[in-house]
Amino acid sequence: MRINKYLADKGIASRRHADEMVEAGRVKINGCIATLGANVEEKDVVLVDDVPVSREEKTEKYYLMNKPKGVMCTVADDRGRKTVMQFLPPDAGRVFPVGRLDYETEGLLLLTNDGDLAFRLTHPTSEVPKTYMARIEGTMTEKDLNRIRSGIELDGVLTKKCKAHIVETNKAYTKVHITITEGRNRQVRRMFEAIGRNVEFLKRISIGNLKLTGLDRGEVRKLTENEIAYLKGI
Ligand code: URA
């Protein structure tokens, strides 16, 4: 099995993050620094940061967090900034965030040690709808929003068609609910920036059927069995 899948199965990181760990030289197989795409078997000794990866089966863990803004969506930050890991209960173990919310964005974030689920949910083909509440500076019209709905060119590639509707608008700001099925870097902010609009505030309020309701900023809860089954069925 590929080293990235092996580390994901062991709950160490998502496949993408596992690749980053391999590239950074943090992973060893039988004493040698692993290369991207290396294969590994159960009998091999795998170390991450010189700590052996357990050969035992892991218990899968799933958390839903209301990420506050001003927090890094990563397991460790090289500049010492606060990370989402600091909001988890002490017994959470080696879970990692599923996808990213940028530093300034708050709202619904999943964390798990289930690498397969994280891989499927964040894969470009999964098309899981993610809804955000965006507060845009100034008044917006349906015409402005139509440009967002029909696709915006980011890095030379059009964003997929998306749903968006105005929740409230006045001279100072416009609140928009926008649902996208992709997860490109800072996608919502960049879509509005591309039409000359500034996003003052951004919060993810749902991923598929999972909602943020009932959690204060910084609060975390375990997913229910039903919610886990739902995510596995996506
Ligand atoms: N879009 C953004 O601009 N930021 C996020 O964190 C998520 C989606």
Side-chain angles (χ1 to χ4, degrees):
M1 155 186 330
R2 295 271 164 141
I3 184 69
N4 61 357
K5 179 161 170 27
Y6 177 87
L7 293 176
D9 282 358
K10 297 289 179 193
I12 305 296
S14 66
R15 283 194 222 183
R16 196 174 306 140
H17 184 219
D19 279 338
E20 288 169 14
M21 292 166 110
V22 171
E23 277 183 310
R26 294 171 57 194
V27 181
K28 287 184 187 152
I29 305 173
N30 302 327
C32 300
I33 293 184
T35 49
L36 266 187
N39 281 307
V40 54
E41 294 172 25
E42 278 301 326
K43 66 174 172 43
D44 292 329
V45 177
V46 178
L47 307 182
V48 173
D49 297 334
D50 292 321
V51 177
V53 173
S54 163
R55 295 174 197 213
E56 283 152 34
E57 285 305 305
K58 65 180 162 60
T59 314
E60 286 166 345
K61 294 186 174 175
Y62 304 87
Y63 293 99
L64 193 158
M65 175 183 293
N66 183 352
K67 172 196 174 294
K69 72 178 203 178
V71 173
M72 290 299 289
C73 196
T74 179
V75 172
D77 182 53
D78 49 11
R79 286 161 56 190
R81 287 167 294 186
K82 203 178 252 190
T83 75
V84 288
M85 306 310 283
Q86 287 155 17
F87 295 86
L88 290 167
D91 63 347
R94 294 180 83 153
V95 296
F96 49 84
V98 178
R100 296 263 159 94
L101 283 179
D102 69 54
Y103 187 68
E104 287 300 328
T105 297
E106 58 181 67
L108 199 166
L109 179 71
L110 296 174
L111 297 110
T112 185
N113 58 357
D114 182 341
D116 265 341
L117 182 80
F119 180 76
R120 283 192 293 104
L121 287 180
T122 54
H123 198 270
T125 57
S126 83
E127 300 200 343
V128 183
K130 291 165 281 274
T131 301
Y132 296 82
M133 201 289 282
R135 194 176 69 223
I136 318 295
E137 205 179 328
T139 311
M140 279 197 83
T141 62
E142 282 298 317
K143 200 169 155 205
D144 298 324
L145 219 48
N146 278 341
R147 293 179 63 192
I148 296 284
R149 292 181 182 119
S150 56
I152 297 283
E153 195 174 308
L154 299 179
D155 307 322
V157 181
L158 267 190
T159 58
K160 291 192 181 138
K161 283 197 172 47
C162 70
K163 291 185 183 155
H165 71 269
I166 294 173
V167 178
E168 183 188 345
T169 187
N170 56 47
K171 276 193 186 146
Y173 63 82
T174 304
K175 285 186 181 174
V176 174
H177 279 180
I178 172 166
T179 303
I180 58 174
T181 54
E182 304 167 279
R184 292 164 64 180
N185 187 32
R186 296 183 69 253
Q187 180 164 340
V188 174
R189 291 180 189 278
R190 289 163 69 213
M191 286 169 80
F192 283 98
E193 279 160 16
I195 61 162
R197 310 306 301 247
N198 179 35
V199 176
E200 296 177 330
F201 174 85
L202 188 62
K203 172 158 107 175
R204 182 154 66 194
I205 55 176
S206 68
I207 297 180
N209 288 347
L210 300 187
K211 306 262 185 280
L212 184 61
T213 39
L215 279 187
D216 286 337
R217 287 194 179 100
E219 273 190 347
V220 184
R221 70 167 174 84
K222 285 185 176 166
L223 288 189
T224 65
E225 290 302 322
N226 281 347
E227 287 171 331
I228 296 166
Y230 161 72
L231 286 178
K232 288 187 173 179
I234 281 183

